[in-house]
């Protein structure tokens, strides 16, 4: 029995998987203990290598994650997975076995998978995903893999919390350029060109090559790399892992890690601040909130959206009007 937040935190920091699972559930449920615990574990965060795996549904992210897990485990490292793409279950037999075993056993079992339901508003998703990454980091997992579908603001926010972002592309979708325009290019440290067994892979590789050639990195800047993979059979996964290792080595050079951390903490601050503002605003202006008249005026056409937003900001900085 876990009686207090302090007790829960102590056990999470000791790597007790039952406590880790409990805290994950509390975060999912928006339990009042969750913020206290997330704050308390912060000093112990920053050791794990957090790797984002982003790409369209069906591009093979989960299959790649399975492959990476096997390789990290072979190195004796522990791995946690935060899956923000609940549509594709992890089918790898070995992984499933690990999941079942690790419910009863110590951290040595080495793999922990947590799926995140896409419910609530978008800020809630980024907040929960980021909190889960911190929990696994603090609990002592060596590697945290974050699988997300690379569309939308929340997704990009989540990927930004990773140290290393792998963007998974596949041939034949015809929308490669579109995906890249959507801002994925800026977040990609590594392009995983998956389904290299498919027609169109060579063309995709050429397209990405051409895109990378347009990019002129600063002297000290990371140069995005690419790796061709067939995730289903593991071809090229060692090369992908080598690129991930190279990026990690780059981060380990003086100044790089600190620069990333400062920037990520800023990103996280703005994400959390926006989320808190939104939640407070929903309490005030939502259905039965004390300032529900504002949105009622908007609905009735008495206020335009910009005026309503400005008035909402003014009201938020003062006391409730009712
Ligand atoms: N031909 C081929 N199929 C693949 C490859 N990688 C994954 N798949 C298949 O693509 C489908 C989607 O894979 P999944 O990992 O669930 O994609 P996710 O939605 O991005 O997580 C599955 O049927 C996989 O077996 C690959 O390299 N080549
Ligand atoms: Mg998946």
């Amino acid at each position: 029995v876990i009686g207090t937040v302090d007790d829960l935190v102590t056990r999470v920091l000791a790597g007790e998987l039952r406590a880790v699972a409990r805290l994950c559930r509390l975060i999912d449920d928006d339990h009042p203990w969750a913020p206290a615990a997330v704050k308390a574990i912060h000093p112990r965060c920053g050791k794990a290598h957090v790797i984002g795996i982003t790409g369209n549904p069906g591009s093979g992210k989960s299959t790649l994650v399975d492959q990476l897990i096997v390789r990290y485990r072979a190195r004796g490292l522990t791995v946690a997975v935060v899956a923000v793409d609940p549509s594709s279950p992890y089918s790898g037999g070995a992984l499933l076995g690990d999941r079942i075993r690790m419910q009863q056993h110590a951290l040595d079992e080495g793999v922990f998978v947590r799926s995140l339901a896409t419910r609530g508003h978008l800020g809630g998703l980024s907040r929960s995903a980021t909190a889960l990454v911190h929990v696994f980091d603090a609990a002592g997992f060596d590697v945290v893999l974050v699988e997300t579908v690379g569309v939308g603001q929340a997704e990009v926010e989540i990927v930004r919390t990773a140290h290393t972002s792998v963007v998974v592309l596949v041939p034949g979708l015809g929308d490669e350029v579109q995906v890249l325009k959507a801002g994925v290019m800026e977040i990609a440290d590594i392009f995983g060109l998956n389904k290299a067994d498919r027609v169109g892979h060579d063309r995709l590789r050429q397209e990405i090559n051409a895109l990378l050639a347009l990019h002129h990195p600063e002297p000290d800047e990371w140069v995005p790399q690419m790796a061709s993979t067939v995730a289903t059979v593991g071809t090229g996964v060692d090369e992908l892992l080598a690129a991930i290792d190279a990026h990690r080595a780059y981060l380990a050079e003086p100044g790089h890690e600190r620069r990333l951390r400062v920037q990520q903490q800023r990103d996280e601050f703005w994400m959390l601040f926006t989320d808190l503002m939104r939640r407070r605003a929903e309490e005030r202006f939502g259905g039965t909130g004390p300032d529900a008249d504002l949105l009622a005026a908007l609905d009735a056409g008495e206020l335009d959206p910009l005026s309503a937003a400005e008035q909402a900001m003014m009201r938020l900085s003062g006391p409730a009007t009712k």
Side-chain angles (χ1 to χ4, degrees), residues 135-152:
V135 169
F136 293 128
D137 184 356
F141 284 92
D142 299 306
V143 178
V144 182
L145 298 168
V146 186
E147 179 189 340
T148 66
V149 178
V151 288

Side-chain angles (χ1 to χ4, degrees), residues 53-83:
I53 312 282
T54 312
N56 287 326
S59 56
K61 299 180 297 297
S62 298
T63 316
L64 274 175
V65 164
D66 269 346
Q67 293 281 0
L68 290 172
I69 288 171
V70 171
R71 283 160 180 79
Y72 279 121
R73 291 301 293 135
R75 292 180 178 181
L77 299 176
T78 55
V79 185
V81 180
V82 178

Side-chain angles (χ1 to χ4, degrees), residues 56-63 85 88 147 194-198 229-232:
N56 287 326
S59 56
K61 299 180 297 297
S62 298
T63 316
D85 176 14
S88 62
E147 179 189 340
N194 194 38
K195 305 201 182 182
D197 53 329
R198 292 260 177 101
T229 54
V230 184
T232 35

